[in-house]
PDB file of all heavy atoms in Angstrom:
ATOM      1  N   ASP G 352      25.626  51.971  65.330  1.00 81.00           N
ATOM      2  CA  ASP G 352      25.586  50.512  65.354  1.00 81.00           C
ATOM      3  C   ASP G 352      24.517  50.017  66.320  1.00 81.00           C
ATOM      4  O   ASP G 352      23.899  48.979  66.093  1.00 81.00           O
ATOM      5  CB  ASP G 352      26.966  49.984  65.763  1.00 81.00           C
ATOM      6  CG  ASP G 352      27.132  48.503  65.466  1.00 81.00           C
ATOM      7  OD1 ASP G 352      26.284  47.948  64.713  1.00 81.00           O
ATOM      8  OD2 ASP G 352      28.087  47.904  65.971  1.00 81.00           O
ATOM      9  N   PHE G 353      24.307  50.756  67.399  1.00 80.00           N
ATOM     10  CA  PHE G 353      23.308  50.345  68.379  1.00 80.00           C
ATOM     11  C   PHE G 353      21.903  50.823  68.005  1.00 80.00           C
ATOM     12  O   PHE G 353      20.910  50.148  68.284  1.00 80.00           O
ATOM     13  CB  PHE G 353      23.696  50.905  69.767  1.00 80.00           C
ATOM     14  CG  PHE G 353      25.027  50.430  70.227  1.00 80.00           C
ATOM     15  CD1 PHE G 353      26.152  51.256  70.120  1.00 80.00           C
ATOM     16  CD2 PHE G 353      25.186  49.158  70.758  1.00 80.00           C
ATOM     17  CE1 PHE G 353      27.399  50.799  70.532  1.00 80.00           C
ATOM     18  CE2 PHE G 353      26.439  48.703  71.176  1.00 80.00           C
ATOM     19  CZ  PHE G 353      27.543  49.532  71.076  1.00 80.00           C
ATOM     20  N   LEU G 354      21.810  51.934  67.310  1.00 76.00           N
ATOM     21  CA  LEU G 354      20.522  52.431  66.864  1.00 76.00           C
ATOM     22  C   LEU G 354      19.946  51.620  65.718  1.00 76.00           C
ATOM     23  O   LEU G 354      18.735  51.522  65.534  1.00 76.00           O
ATOM     24  CB  LEU G 354      20.637  53.901  66.433  1.00 76.00           C
ATOM     25  CG  LEU G 354      20.984  54.905  67.546  1.00 76.00           C
ATOM     26  CD1 LEU G 354      21.219  56.288  66.959  1.00 76.00           C
ATOM     27  CD2 LEU G 354      19.865  54.946  68.583  1.00 76.00           C
ATOM     28  N   PHE G 355      20.833  51.004  64.948  1.00 75.00           N
ATOM     29  CA  PHE G 355      20.416  50.186  63.800  1.00 75.00           C
ATOM     30  C   PHE G 355      21.081  48.807  63.902  1.00 75.00           C
ATOM     31  O   PHE G 355      21.991  48.486  63.157  1.00 75.00           O
ATOM     32  CB  PHE G 355      20.813  50.869  62.478  1.00 75.00           C
ATOM     33  CG  PHE G 355      20.235  52.243  62.300  1.00 75.00           C
ATOM     34  CD1 PHE G 355      20.965  53.370  62.645  1.00 75.00           C
ATOM     35  CD2 PHE G 355      18.941  52.435  61.826  1.00 75.00           C
ATOM     36  CE1 PHE G 355      20.452  54.652  62.510  1.00 75.00           C
ATOM     37  CE2 PHE G 355      18.421  53.702  61.661  1.00 75.00           C
ATOM     38  CZ  PHE G 355      19.173  54.811  62.011  1.00 75.00           C
ATOM     39  N   PRO G 356      20.643  47.970  64.859  1.00 73.00           N
ATOM     40  CA  PRO G 356      21.320  46.683  65.094  1.00 73.00           C
ATOM     41  C   PRO G 356      21.263  45.740  63.902  1.00 73.00           C
ATOM     42  O   PRO G 356      22.085  44.822  63.798  1.00 73.00           O
ATOM     43  CB  PRO G 356      20.567  46.112  66.296  1.00 73.00           C
ATOM     44  CG  PRO G 356      19.226  46.796  66.270  1.00 73.00           C
ATOM     45  CD  PRO G 356      19.508  48.178  65.755  1.00 73.00           C
ATOM     46  N   ARG G 357      20.311  45.946  63.008  1.00 74.00           N
ATOM     47  CA  ARG G 357      20.214  45.080  61.817  1.00 74.00           C
ATOM     48  C   ARG G 357      20.830  45.751  60.581  1.00 74.00           C
ATOM     49  O   ARG G 357      20.610  45.315  59.450  1.00 74.00           O
ATOM     50  CB  ARG G 357      18.754  44.728  61.527  1.00 74.00           C
ATOM     51  CG  ARG G 357      18.109  43.887  62.629  1.00 74.00           C
ATOM     52  CD  ARG G 357      16.718  43.456  62.244  1.00 74.00           C
ATOM     53  NE  ARG G 357      16.111  42.632  63.291  1.00 74.00           N
ATOM     54  CZ  ARG G 357      14.898  42.093  63.209  1.00 74.00           C
ATOM     55  NH1 ARG G 357      14.162  42.313  62.125  1.00 74.00           N
ATOM     56  NH2 ARG G 357      14.425  41.368  64.190  1.00 74.00           N
ATOM     57  N   GLY G 358      21.570  46.801  60.821  1.00 71.00           N
ATOM     58  CA  GLY G 358      22.167  47.509  59.693  1.00 71.00           C
ATOM     59  C   GLY G 358      21.318  48.701  59.298  1.00 71.00           C
ATOM     60  O   GLY G 358      20.142  48.801  59.664  1.00 71.00           O
ATOM     61  N   MET G 359      21.911  49.607  58.552  1.00 68.00           N
ATOM     62  CA  MET G 359      21.222  50.825  58.158  1.00 68.00           C
ATOM     63  C   MET G 359      21.255  50.949  56.631  1.00 68.00           C
ATOM     64  O   MET G 359      22.335  51.054  56.048  1.00 68.00           O
ATOM     65  CB  MET G 359      21.876  52.054  58.798  1.00 68.00           C
ATOM     66  CG  MET G 359      21.236  53.367  58.373  1.00 68.00           C
ATOM     67  SD  MET G 359      22.056  54.810  59.108  1.00 68.00           S
ATOM     68  CE  MET G 359      23.708  54.659  58.442  1.00 68.00           C
ATOM     69  N   ASP G 360      20.096  50.931  56.025  1.00 70.00           N
ATOM     70  CA  ASP G 360      19.991  51.159  54.577  1.00 70.00           C
ATOM     71  C   ASP G 360      19.600  52.614  54.367  1.00 70.00           C
ATOM     72  O   ASP G 360      18.411  52.929  54.327  1.00 70.00           O
ATOM     73  CB  ASP G 360      18.966  50.212  53.972  1.00 70.00           C
ATOM     74  CG  ASP G 360      18.891  50.343  52.437  1.00 70.00           C
ATOM     75  OD1 ASP G 360      19.568  51.225  51.893  1.00 70.00           O
ATOM     76  OD2 ASP G 360      18.163  49.564  51.806  1.00 70.00           O
ATOM     77  N   HIS G 361      20.606  53.480  54.278  1.00 63.00           N
ATOM     78  CA  HIS G 361      20.301  54.917  54.173  1.00 63.00           C
ATOM     79  C   HIS G 361      19.698  55.275  52.828  1.00 63.00           C
ATOM     80  O   HIS G 361      19.185  56.371  52.666  1.00 63.00           O
ATOM     81  CB  HIS G 361      21.556  55.746  54.426  1.00 63.00           C
ATOM     82  CG  HIS G 361      22.659  55.469  53.457  1.00 63.00           C
ATOM     83  ND1 HIS G 361      23.587  54.481  53.644  1.00 63.00           N
ATOM     84  CD2 HIS G 361      22.960  56.072  52.273  1.00 63.00           C
ATOM     85  CE1 HIS G 361      24.428  54.478  52.632  1.00 63.00           C
ATOM     86  NE2 HIS G 361      24.097  55.425  51.800  1.00 63.00           N
ATOM     87  N   HIS G 362      19.718  54.341  51.861  1.00 67.00           N
ATOM     88  CA  HIS G 362      19.090  54.619  50.567  1.00 67.00           C
ATOM     89  C   HIS G 362      17.557  54.592  50.705  1.00 67.00           C
ATOM     90  O   HIS G 362      16.858  55.239  49.926  1.00 67.00           O
ATOM     91  CB  HIS G 362      19.523  53.594  49.537  1.00 67.00           C
ATOM     92  CG  HIS G 362      20.997  53.606  49.258  1.00 67.00           C
ATOM     93  ND1 HIS G 362      21.608  54.626  48.575  1.00 67.00           N
ATOM     94  CD2 HIS G 362      21.981  52.724  49.579  1.00 67.00           C
ATOM     95  CE1 HIS G 362      22.900  54.386  48.498  1.00 67.00           C
ATOM     96  NE2 HIS G 362      23.158  53.228  49.103  1.00 67.00           N
ATOM     97  N   ARG G 363      17.072  53.818  51.695  1.00 68.00           N
ATOM     98  CA  ARG G 363      15.625  53.699  51.869  1.00 68.00           C
ATOM     99  C   ARG G 363      15.086  54.350  53.118  1.00 68.00           C
ATOM    100  O   ARG G 363      13.896  54.602  53.248  1.00 68.00           O
ATOM    101  CB  ARG G 363      15.221  52.220  51.869  1.00 68.00           C
ATOM    102  CG  ARG G 363      15.553  51.490  50.569  1.00 68.00           C
ATOM    103  CD  ARG G 363      15.107  50.037  50.652  1.00 68.00           C
ATOM    104  NE  ARG G 363      15.449  49.299  49.442  1.00 68.00           N
ATOM    105  CZ  ARG G 363      15.184  48.011  49.244  1.00 68.00           C
ATOM    106  NH1 ARG G 363      14.569  47.318  50.184  1.00 68.00           N
ATOM    107  NH2 ARG G 363      15.541  47.422  48.120  1.00 68.00           N
ATOM    108  N   LEU G 364      16.000  54.616  54.064  1.00 68.00           N
ATOM    109  CA  LEU G 364      15.555  55.168  55.340  1.00 68.00           C
ATOM    110  C   LEU G 364      14.871  56.516  55.170  1.00 68.00           C
ATOM    111  O   LEU G 364      15.491  57.481  54.734  1.00 68.00           O
ATOM    112  CB  LEU G 364      16.761  55.292  56.271  1.00 68.00           C
ATOM    113  CG  LEU G 364      16.457  55.796  57.679  1.00 68.00           C
ATOM    114  CD1 LEU G 364      15.602  54.791  58.439  1.00 68.00           C
ATOM    115  CD2 LEU G 364      17.759  56.053  58.442  1.00 68.00           C
ATOM    116  N   LEU G 365      13.576  56.561  55.452  1.00 68.00           N
ATOM    117  CA  LEU G 365      12.763  57.790  55.354  1.00 68.00           C
ATOM    118  C   LEU G 365      12.850  58.419  53.955  1.00 68.00           C
ATOM    119  O   LEU G 365      12.685  59.638  53.795  1.00 68.00           O
ATOM    120  CB  LEU G 365      13.194  58.810  56.413  1.00 68.00           C
ATOM    121  CG  LEU G 365      13.029  58.349  57.875  1.00 68.00           C
ATOM    122  CD1 LEU G 365      13.549  59.429  58.819  1.00 68.00           C
ATOM    123  CD2 LEU G 365      11.579  58.031  58.187  1.00 68.00           C
ATOM    124  N   ALA G 366      13.162  57.585  52.947  1.00 70.00           N
ATOM    125  CA  ALA G 366      13.267  58.109  51.585  1.00 70.00           C
ATOM    126  C   ALA G 366      11.912  58.610  51.113  1.00 70.00           C
ATOM    127  O   ALA G 366      10.872  58.002  51.357  1.00 70.00           O
ATOM    128  CB  ALA G 366      13.774  57.010  50.655  1.00 70.00           C
ATOM    129  N   GLY G 367      11.914  59.760  50.474  1.00 69.00           N
ATOM    130  CA  GLY G 367      10.684  60.313  49.923  1.00 69.00           C
ATOM    131  C   GLY G 367       9.876  61.155  50.891  1.00 69.00           C
ATOM    132  O   GLY G 367       8.873  61.766  50.474  1.00 69.00           O
TER     133      GLY G 367
END
Side-chain angles (χ1 to χ4, degrees):
D352 195 14
F353 301 100
L354 294 174
F355 302 95
R357 296 185 179 181
M359 177 181 62
D360 184 355
H361 60 273
H362 298 289
R363 298 181 182 180
L364 182 65
L365 298 178

